Amino acid sequence: MLEEIKGYLKITWSDEDSSISTMIDAGKAYIDSVTGTTIDYESDNQAKSLLFDYCRYRYNMATEEFESNFSSVILNLQLKYARKDMEVTP
């Protein structure tokens, strides 16, 4: 996923790989936290796209604006995973 995020951010150098990896981990932790579940970002394209945008905001030091700008996508993921949890629980 590191190379995909770097491509999305138009980063061609490797000097920042460590900080971008940290950014990816922080983004996954944040999205998992607000959705209340652990997401497989390789199979859920909506969550993966949200992660890419989180990394873009974090890279540009604008995370304080992320949640308000993507609240509808976050809500959609919350509902999607709440529904999946309800289907599993009898």
Side-chain angles (χ1 to χ4, degrees):
M1 183 163 301
L2 174 64
E3 292 303 317
E4 289 177 280
I5 298 274
K6 285 175 62 175
Y8 182 71
L9 297 175
K10 307 291 188 234
I11 297 172
T12 58
W13 53 93
S14 59
D15 298 352
E16 297 181 74
D17 284 4
S18 178
S19 63
I20 294 170
S21 291
T22 300
M23 196 183 316
I24 293 168
D25 292 340
K28 287 179 178 179
Y30 170 77
I31 295 167
D32 288 354
S33 173
V34 297
T35 58
T37 191
T38 302
I39 297 173
D40 177 2
Y41 292 89
E42 294 300 331
S43 66
D44 187 326
N45 289 328
Q46 184 181 30
K48 185 176 185 177
S49 177
L50 185 63
L51 175 62
F52 279 37
D53 287 319
Y54 176 88
C55 290
R56 176 171 54 94
Y57 273 64
R58 181 151 176 180
Y59 187 76
N60 290 296
M61 294 178 245
T63 53
E64 67 278 358
E65 298 174 23
F66 177 79
E67 193 167 340
S68 63
N69 289 346
F70 290 92
S71 60
S72 63
V73 179
I74 292 168
L75 178 59
N76 187 285
L77 284 172
Q78 289 169 334
L79 294 172
K80 175 180 170 179
Y81 283 98
R83 247 182 309 166
K84 283 185 179 181
D85 287 345
M86 290 175 66
E87 292 171 3
V88 172
T89 308

